[in-house]
Amino acid sequence: DGGITQSPKYLFRKEGQNVTLSCEQNLNHDAMYWYRQDPGQGLRLIYYSQIVNDFQKGDIAEGYSVSREKKESFPLTVTSAQKNPTAFYLCATRTEASPLHFGNGTRLTVT
Amino acid sequence: AQSVTQPDIHITVSEGASLELRCNYSYGATPYLFWYVQSPGQGLQLLLKYFSGDTLVQGIKGFEAEFKRSQSSFNLRKPSVHWSDAAEYFCAVGLNTPLVFGKGTRLSVIA
C-alpha cells in the first residue's frame, strides 16, 4: 500500500534539545517537502528536496536541518536554535506536474 | 511574488445549504491550482486540481471549482453541504516549484 509515513504522531521534548521527525515514502516520488502549520498561518515551507543528496531552504528554514540520503527518506531535525518549535509538521511528496501527497503529520510540543 | 488569498477565515453554513469558498492568487503565469481539505490532526487530502483545459473541474465528495483567469480566482463550490464536510480547506497554486498555500478557511456546519 503506497503512502507517506510520518512518525511519531505526537512528540514531546524539553527546550534546548534537538529532535528529529521521520518521513518515509514508498510512492517513488522524487520531490519531498516539509511544511510547518500553525493555527491561522496556513502551511509554511521549511525545506524541500527534488533529488537525492540535494535540498533547498524554504521560507522558514532557520533553526531546522534536513538530509536526503535516500529517495525514500527525508528526516527533519528541529534544533535548539528554532525559537518557537511547537507546531504541527507535515511531510509531502510530489512527482513532476502532480499534486502534493501528504503524510498525517507529527505534532511537536516543546516545553 | 506568488501568493494565495483566502478571504474568509471561518464560514458557517447550515446542512443542506450551498457553499462557496473563495480563493484568489497572484502568479506570473497560469499556475496549477489545487484545493485540499484537512480534518483536525490529519494531513491534507486533495479535493481537486486544475492543470489546463475545462475551467470547471470536478473533485471528490461532490465538490467542484471554477478557474476564472480574468479574476485570478479558483473558487470551490458544493451544492449541498453535509455535516461531514466540516473541516479546514486550503487553496494552493504552483507549477513545478513548491506549492504556495493560502491560510485556509475553516468550515463549520450546523444542523
Side-chain angles (χ1 to χ4, degrees):
Chain A
D1 189 22
I4 302 166
T5 301
Q6 289 190 244
S7 59
K9 188 169 178 64
Y10 299 96
L11 194 51
F12 297 88
R13 280 294 183 270
K14 294 290 187 186
E15 194 172 322
Q17 294 178 335
N18 291 355
V19 58
T20 298
L21 282 60
S22 170
C23 178
E24 302 282 331
Q25 58 114 346
N26 59 8
L27 298 170
N28 200 34
H29 287 175
D30 290 315
M32 298 187 72
Y33 304 80
W34 275 106
Y35 286 91
R36 170 180 171 142
Q37 187 176 22
D38 298 280
Q41 295 293 315
L43 277 70
R44 294 183 289 169
L45 182 65
I46 305 173
Y47 268 99
Y48 66 103
S49 167
Q50 294 181 302
I51 56 172
V52 174
N53 292 323
D54 188 41
F55 48 82
Q56 287 79 40
K57 293 181 179 180
D59 301 317
I60 57 164
E62 185 175 351
Y64 299 97
S65 66
V66 294
S67 63
R68 187 84 186 277
E69 297 176 1
K70 299 185 302 182
K71 187 174 185 177
E72 302 79 19
S73 179
F74 191 41
L76 173 74
T77 297
V78 184
T79 75
S80 56
Q82 168 50 233
K83 296 286 190 288
N84 298 295
T86 294
F88 189 52
Y89 291 87
L90 286 160
C91 177
T93 71
R94 188 181 185 194
T95 191
E96 191 173 333
S98 77
L100 280 173
H101 297 258
F102 283 87
N104 283 329
T106 292
R107 183 165 300 281
L108 173 64
T109 302
V110 177
T111 58
Chain B
Q2 304 155 14
S3 66
V4 177
T5 301
Q6 293 181 246
D8 304 304
I9 296 172
H10 183 205
I11 286 181
T12 299
V13 300
S14 299
E15 193 169 14
S18 63
L19 171 70
E20 183 169 29
L21 302 183
R22 296 182 289 164
C23 173
N24 293 93
Y25 66 89
S26 172
Y27 206 85
T30 299
Y32 300 151
L33 298 155
F34 308 88
W35 275 100
Y36 287 86
V37 62
Q38 184 183 35
S39 297
Q42 298 296 313
L44 277 69
Q45 180 185 21
L46 180 70
L47 282 176
L48 46 78
K49 63 184 184 289
Y50 172 79
F51 283 2
S52 65
D54 193 346
T55 56
L56 184 64
V57 293
Q58 303 297 320
I60 62 171
K61 305 185 181 189
F63 285 92
E64 67 178 26
E66 185 172 13
F67 169 54
K68 293 186 177 180
R69 186 191 309 272
S70 61
Q71 298 176 18
S72 296
S73 70
F74 189 56
N75 294 350
L76 182 71
R77 301 193 294 247
K78 187 169 185 178
S80 177
V81 168
H82 188 262
W83 64 267
S84 60
D85 293 323
E88 187 140 25
Y89 292 80
F90 293 93
C91 180
V93 304
L95 285 172
N96 288 319
T97 51
L99 297 189
V100 176
F101 285 82
K103 293 189 176 184
T105 297
R106 183 161 63 92
L107 174 65
S108 296
V109 181
I110 57 176

